[in-house]
């Protein structure tokens, strides 16, 4: 079986709109599984430089799929090998939910594989 790794990663400044108001972090944090292929999320790593809890949201086709809370001035690593397959044409994105008015920086790294 042939597979290709894909990564959504980077360092992003943010301003929170509310923990119940996730918003896209940036256009570079989006990937669409090519037609005829399958994708799968393998891991998520994230770091939060702010003084409060934030939540990175893995969004599939516009709907939340998984939530990754990242503590204040902390980090998280979550293996995701048991997640379901992502069919061709599926778009995944990383969004962020943070307390309203909170400014900070988040580091994200979502590893995926295209099969």
């Amino acid at each position: 079986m042939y597979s290709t790794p894909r990564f959504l990663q980077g360092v992003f400044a943010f301003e929170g709109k509310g923990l119940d108001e996730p918003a896209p972090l940036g256009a570079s944090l989006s990937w669409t599984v090519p037609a005829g292929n399958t994708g799968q999320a393998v891991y998520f790593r994230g770091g939060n430089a702010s003084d409060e809890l934030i939540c990175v949201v893995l969004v599939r086709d516009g709907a939340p799929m998984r939530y990754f809370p990242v503590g204040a001035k902390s980090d998280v690593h979550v293996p995701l090998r048991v997640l379901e397959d992502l069919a061709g044409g599926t778009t995944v994105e990383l969004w962020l939910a943070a307390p309203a008015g909170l400014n900070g920086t988040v580091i994200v790294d979502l590893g995926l594989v295209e099969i």
Side-chain angles (χ1 to χ4, degrees):
M1 178 183 330
Y2 177 74
S3 65
T4 304
R6 303 287 181 210
F7 303 96
L8 301 181
Q9 58 190 5
V11 178
F12 299 88
F14 67 85
E15 180 175 346
K17 296 180 184 337
L19 285 171
D20 58 347
E21 299 269 341
L25 269 170
S28 66
L29 294 177
S30 178
W31 177 63
T32 300
V33 181
N37 290 354
T38 301
Q40 189 172 60
V42 178
Y43 70 84
F44 171 78
R45 292 184 191 128
N48 173 15
S50 78
D51 292 328
E52 295 189 45
L53 173 82
I54 63 168
C55 190
V56 177
V57 183
L58 177 59
V59 174
R60 175 180 51 204
D61 293 331
M65 180 178 174
R66 298 287 182 270
Y67 290 81
F68 305 107
V70 186
K73 298 195 185 245
S74 188
D75 61 89
V76 65
H77 178 148
V78 181
L80 299 171
R81 294 174 199 253
V82 297
L83 284 182
E84 62 273 14
D85 289 340
L86 304 167
T90 300
T91 298
V92 292
E93 302 171 283
L94 289 177
W95 291 16
L96 183 111
L102 178 67
N103 290 299
T105 303
V106 63
I107 301 167
V108 294
D109 178 14
L110 177 66
L112 303 119
V113 65
E114 178 186 331
I115 305 166

